[in-house]
Amino acid sequence: MDYTERHKQLELESAEGARHSRHAHYKPFGPEWGSDYFGKWQTIAYALFALGIEPGATVLDVGMGQGWTTVFLAESGFTPTGIDIAPANVAIATERAERYGAAAQFAATDMDTLDLGRAFDAALVFDALHHTTRQREAVRRIAAHLRPGGWVLFGEPSWLHALSPHARRTTKELGWVERGIGVRSLKRDCRLAGLGAFRRFYEGTNPHGGRPRDFLWQTARLAGARASSAPQMSIWLAAQKLPVA
């Protein structure tokens, strides 16, 4: 078993263990998750609406984990299908959708070999691409599932993620691949997959209290993310499927 397949097996085992944890079913709610995910979702919603994704549009949620983004997409008026490599995550996501009465579909499949036999109006790839060592193939597969003119929105940790103690600990303890994503390499792989017309988006800061140093830290993070990258702030890149010449 090579490195990539080994890491995928460990990811499956980790998801199966999480299925029996009460915390897994409530992400992103609760103090153990903080407020970060709500800031990420705000950025996702803003970007999708800014890209002109219409209500009712079909959206492929790639690497949806435990499905909270898929449910939020449904509650935002889209018609989502969430996919994840781990059947345990699909089970958690299905239970979540049923609990909220959200119209969402789910499937257990690997983004590296994605082949659903249908096309979507848009795709979301949030916190997922950095877990694969086969980025170019994954991007190609995702692009193949977009209708001409459809948009894919990537939201991934920057190159700083590779230096993160938390990412290193996750790799050591769980065996997951934890890469950082560079905008240049992502654009390159998108172009090879027939995607272009790139648009960048930027997330806001975390909520903070009244201490001056909190304000200064958040301001520095916001400026850093706009110029290049900042700790715990994702890079957001949208790419459109171009017509075949």
Side-chain angles (χ1 to χ4, degrees), residues 1 5 16 19 26 40 55 72 123 134 146 173 184 202 207 215 226 230 236:
M1 183 181 296
E5 295 305 318
E16 186 61 40
R19 184 180 179 185
Y26 297 100
K40 307 290 187 185
F72 279 24
R134 298 168 180 166
L146 283 176
E173 295 177 356
R184 184 178 300 179
Y202 302 90
F215 171 75
R226 181 77 187 189
W236 298 93

Side-chain angles (χ1 to χ4, degrees), residues 103-157:
Q105 296 181 335
F106 304 96
T109 187
D110 187 347
M111 76 176 88
D112 293 354
T113 57
L114 182 62
D115 185 8
L116 298 179
R118 56 174 295 204
F120 296 80
D121 299 316
L124 171 65
V125 188
F126 170 60
D127 253 2
L129 193 64
H130 73 285
H131 290 309
T132 180
T133 59
R134 298 168 180 166
Q135 175 175 303
R136 182 171 299 179
E137 179 62 15
V139 171
R140 187 185 72 81
R141 295 272 181 170
I142 294 164
H145 285 74
L146 283 176
R147 295 190 175 95
W151 287 92
V152 54
L153 174 65
F154 297 94
E156 296 289 335

Side-chain angles (χ1 to χ4, degrees), residues 91-210:
I92 292 172
T94 301
E95 292 170 11
R96 183 192 298 270
E98 292 174 350
R99 189 163 67 243
Y100 284 94
Q105 296 181 335
F106 304 96
T109 187
D110 187 347
M111 76 176 88
D112 293 354
T113 57
L114 182 62
D115 185 8
L116 298 179
R118 56 174 295 204
F120 296 80
D121 299 316
L124 171 65
V125 188
F126 170 60
D127 253 2
L129 193 64
H130 73 285
H131 290 309
T132 180
T133 59
R134 298 168 180 166
Q135 175 175 303
R136 182 171 299 179
E137 179 62 15
V139 171
R140 187 185 72 81
R141 295 272 181 170
I142 294 164
H145 285 74
L146 283 176
R147 295 190 175 95
W151 287 92
V152 54
L153 174 65
F154 297 94
E156 296 289 335
S158 75
W159 63 271
L160 290 173
H161 188 67
L163 308 177
S164 163
H166 174 73
R168 292 182 178 183
R169 186 167 58 251
T170 299
T171 298
K172 181 178 180 180
E173 295 177 356
L174 301 179
W176 296 9
V177 168
E178 292 285 348
R179 301 185 303 117
I181 300 293
V183 175
R184 184 178 300 179
S185 66
L186 181 54
K187 283 186 175 181
R188 177 202 63 208
D189 291 340
C190 284
R191 290 190 184 98
L192 290 172
L195 303 172
F198 300 109
R199 291 184 62 178
R200 289 291 306 276
F201 296 92
Y202 302 90
E203 65 188 68
T205 66
N206 287 344
H208 53 278

